Amino acid sequence: MDFVADEARRAGRPYVLLSVAMSVDGYIDDTEPERLLLSNDADFDRVDGVRAWSDAILVGAETVRRDDPRLIVRDESRRAERVAAGRTEYPRKVTVTASGDLDPEARFWRYGTAEHAPLVYTSEAGARRLRDRLSEPAEIVVLGPDLEFGPLLDDLGARGIGRLMVEGGGRIHTAFLAGALADELRLAIGPALVGDPAAPRFLHAARFPGGSVHRMRLVDIDRLGDVAVLRYRL
């Protein structure tokens, strides 16, 4: 998929690309202890390419707790291309938490962080808790008594982040879409049905701009084995 047209930034904010894999019935996981893999090897490689394109990758605290992701670029040649272009080997990692409930032993803090510490956007109460809990290096940014994603994007833009990849989870994706803060959605649909109301879904209930009559623009469809990847401009 082409990245050439994706360089536009709005009012100094990063270009925001939402990336998600979901089941046919709209779930991003099931309720089993092991993470449900909805993608295949070809789609995981595609996601690795999007990560390599990004300046920063953002996930919510719930994703850090539930999935314990490393959020790194796995392909060595992609990392080398980043370095050759004068970029850091890995994108900067970003998370968001109101409560400050983050595991100091999570892999989020320990992989791909030698060049820049992870950014943690939080509330005033969350910052107090994080300063007591975190042993790994991290830069804590207080957004105020509540979390607002507009100021978060302003701060990332001021730090030189031009391309932001958002990998979830559902509450984070919902916040970006409900706030009209995303530029693009890349939606991978895996050939599975979850059907469990207790399982996490791609989106939560919200008032989205334009309501149900607003139509996003489908700009590309890619077939990767048994996974379909839909690319929407928002």
Side-chain angles (χ1 to χ4, degrees), residues 177-228:
L177 290 170
L181 297 173
D183 299 286
E184 181 175 339
L185 168 63
R186 298 200 183 186
L187 177 65
I189 302 176
L193 296 168
V194 176
D196 184 347
R201 300 187 67 91
F202 166 36
L203 293 175
H204 295 249
R207 297 185 65 177
F208 296 106
S212 57
V213 298
H214 174 71
R215 300 177 71 89
M216 297 182 292
R217 183 163 61 94
L218 179 64
V219 295
D220 200 4
I221 302 173
D222 202 4
R223 178 176 177 175
L224 300 174
D226 59 1
V227 173

Side-chain angles (χ1 to χ4, degrees), residues 20 22 24-29 169-171 173-174 195-204:
V20 64
M22 74 175 192
V24 171
D25 54 344
Y27 291 89
I28 57 175
D29 203 350
R171 294 185 188 279
H173 281 135
T174 301
D196 184 347
R201 300 187 67 91
F202 166 36
L203 293 175
H204 295 249

Side-chain angles (χ1 to χ4, degrees), residues 46-139:
R46 175 193 64 83
V47 171
D48 196 61
V50 181
R51 287 180 177 179
W53 165 87
S54 305
D55 296 321
I57 304 170
L58 184 150
V59 295
E62 186 174 353
T63 298
V64 176
R65 290 191 295 266
R66 183 184 180 92
D67 297 341
D68 194 19
R70 293 186 299 165
L71 298 179
I72 61 172
V73 177
R74 292 184 171 89
D75 186 86
E76 185 177 351
S77 64
R78 290 180 176 133
R79 299 199 306 269
E81 287 175 2
R82 287 177 57 91
V83 173
R87 306 172 71 196
T88 56
E89 184 177 7
Y90 296 97
R92 191 162 194 180
K93 292 193 281 190
V94 183
T95 191
V96 183
T97 173
S99 66
D101 182 14
L102 286 168
D103 182 359
E105 301 302 319
R107 297 190 297 178
F108 180 86
W109 314 109
R110 301 196 304 272
Y111 290 86
T113 56
E115 297 167 293
H116 35 46
L119 281 166
V120 184
Y121 290 92
T122 188
S123 63
E124 294 168 354
R128 289 192 292 271
R129 185 176 188 185
L130 285 166
R131 292 186 182 109
D132 291 336
R133 298 189 65 183
L134 287 184
S135 56
E136 299 290 342
E139 186 169 352

